[in-house]
Amino acid sequence: LRKKNEKALPSSNGEDFLKNNTVIDTHCHVQFAAFARDRDAVLARCAEKRMILNVVGTQKSTSADAVAMAESYDWVYASVGLHPIQEYVVPVKEEGTSFTSRGESFDSAYYDALAAHPKVIAIGETGLDRFHVPKDKAYDEIFETQKQVFLAHVALANRHNLPLVIHVRDAHSEMIELLRAMPTKPRGVIHCFTGNVEQAEAYLSFGLYLGFTGVITFPPKKNDVQLTQQQLLRVIEVMPYDRMLVETDTPYLAPQTFRGQRSEPWMLEEQIKKIALIREISFAEVDQLTDNNAKTLFSKIRG
């Protein structure tokens, strides 16, 4: 990793800048049931902020819903895929939500059809997850299934010349090993990166981008002997600007200012502010850098 010393622009809280510039949320789930009652109002707030959204599918129905939303708004795009926790039935409890995953099989023909849509800009979210796994199955069996489904997504992305949105939770060593063994590395982003410098170096060496959510605004946890939050902020401090993306993972992971609330895409401003603070540059510069990165990786984005 290397830290780039670039001249800082005048400081700004972002309000004036956002009146005339776009902000790209590279990973959100506005199609989820959490927005069933007020989705139009949420999207109106995003439009007012001049946002561009990548609405990410996690299984068949939410992928199809993402495409439908992208068809309805010029500034909305879609990613389609099967999240690793949706590959089996397991109870999921996260901050502010709980549900039982579907237990779907990866339907290559179904996702092939969705991926051909002109507003689909990526494949995923797909990847490896050791956090939410069935208690009645051995992890080796689960990992093998996740691995094969991930490789099927890689093949799908290659067929459509699209990047990947890669989910990794408690499985960085497995994902790094898997990617290292691939002779041709896929293009894509490690969504919601929360790892350390060593892991970041590995992903960056493969040509991948790192996506940062509201987690970067959280205070360190008490009794965190591994100093995970400090290590994450160190990654932001030293990584190259040209591989950095910002995202919300809406409706999850609201930044600290809004902790306990449902996350919305416009809250992405908090991540931009945090990165600007760490790198000692302006809000406008971080936004411009990350927007450029998003348009480079997701090359079908316009605007």
Side-chain angles (χ1 to χ4, degrees):
L1 295 176
R2 64 190 188 279
K3 182 172 181 178
K4 293 185 176 179
N5 296 314
E6 298 188 18
K7 184 178 179 181
L9 298 178
S11 62
S12 168
N13 64 8
E15 293 301 322
D16 293 336
F17 178 79
L18 290 174
K19 292 178 181 178
N20 299 304
N21 295 273
T22 60
V23 177
I24 302 177
D25 184 352
T26 59
H27 191 117
C28 64
H29 305 288
V30 194
Q31 81 280 38
F32 278 13
F35 297 99
R37 295 184 178 181
D38 63 343
R39 186 174 291 108
D40 289 345
V42 172
L43 290 171
R45 286 191 282 274
C46 294
E48 184 179 358
K49 295 283 188 179
R50 296 176 55 83
M51 297 197 73
I52 292 174
L53 307 183
N54 178 24
V55 180
V56 179
T58 54
Q59 39 80 236
K60 282 184 175 181
S61 64
T62 58
S63 292
D65 289 344
V67 174
M69 188 173 293
E71 287 181 333
S72 300
Y73 299 88
D74 290 343
W75 44 275
V76 174
Y77 296 85
S79 295
V80 299
L82 181 64
H83 192 291
I85 68 170
Q86 296 290 355
E87 296 166 18
Y88 33 78
V89 178
V90 63
V92 176
K93 290 186 178 180
E94 297 285 359
E95 185 177 290
T97 188
S98 62
F99 61 92
T100 299
S101 56
R102 302 290 184 88
E104 290 186 5
S105 297
F106 181 70
D107 187 335
S108 180
Y110 182 87
Y111 290 105
D112 248 323
L114 289 180
H117 194 283
K119 292 296 290 291
V120 170
I121 62 173
I123 300 301
E125 106 187 58
T126 177
L128 304 177
D129 192 305
R130 292 187 66 175
F131 189 79
H132 293 295
V133 295
K135 295 181 179 180
D136 60 344
K137 293 185 177 182
Y139 179 70
D140 287 347
E141 177 186 349
I142 293 167
F143 172 69
E144 185 58 31
T145 298
Q146 292 185 355
K147 174 184 173 181
Q148 294 307 318
V149 174
F150 174 72
L151 293 175
H153 280 81
V154 172
L156 176 64
N158 288 339
R159 288 197 296 275
H160 293 272
N161 193 28
L162 293 173
L164 289 169
V165 175
I166 303 173
H167 170 99
V168 187
R169 189 163 185 183
D170 292 355
H172 285 298
S173 59
E174 292 92 336
M175 179 58 77
I176 290 169
E177 181 181 355
L178 179 58
L179 290 168
R180 184 171 285 130
M182 298 174 66
T184 302
K185 313 304 183 194
R187 294 183 298 126
V189 55
I190 302 298
H191 150 62
C192 190
F193 180 78
T194 55
N196 58 35
V197 169
E198 183 180 6
Q199 292 159 348
E201 286 178 333
Y203 291 127
L204 293 169
S205 73
F206 301 146
L208 296 169
Y209 291 70
L210 304 180
F212 297 100
T213 65
V215 172
I216 68 173
T217 69
F218 295 175
K221 292 182 179 179
K222 294 180 181 179
N223 304 319
D224 180 9
V225 296
Q226 295 183 335
L227 301 176
T228 54
Q229 190 69 1
Q230 291 91 325
Q231 291 185 63
L232 172 61
L233 299 186
R234 177 61 178 164
V235 172
I236 295 172
E237 182 182 357
V238 301
M239 74 172 289
Y241 284 125
D242 61 1
R243 303 284 193 84
M244 186 182 294
L245 297 176
V246 286
E247 53 181 61
T248 61
D249 205 21
T250 291
Y252 313 117
L253 303 177
Q256 187 63 26
T257 303
F258 304 99
R259 197 78 183 270
Q261 301 179 36
R262 179 191 65 182
S263 174
E264 296 187 14
W266 60 267
M267 295 178 184
L268 188 68
E269 297 169 19
E270 297 300 311
Q271 283 89 286
I272 297 174
K273 291 176 185 177
K274 183 68 174 182
I275 295 170
L277 178 65
I278 292 171
R279 296 302 290 257
E280 299 180 344
I281 59 176
S282 72
F283 181 102
E285 191 168 7
V286 174
D287 181 73
Q288 190 64 62
L289 289 164
T290 54
D291 275 16
N292 288 345
N293 294 342
K295 290 176 181 178
T296 298
L297 179 63
F298 305 112
S299 58
K300 293 170 71 174
I301 289 179
R302 298 289 180 266

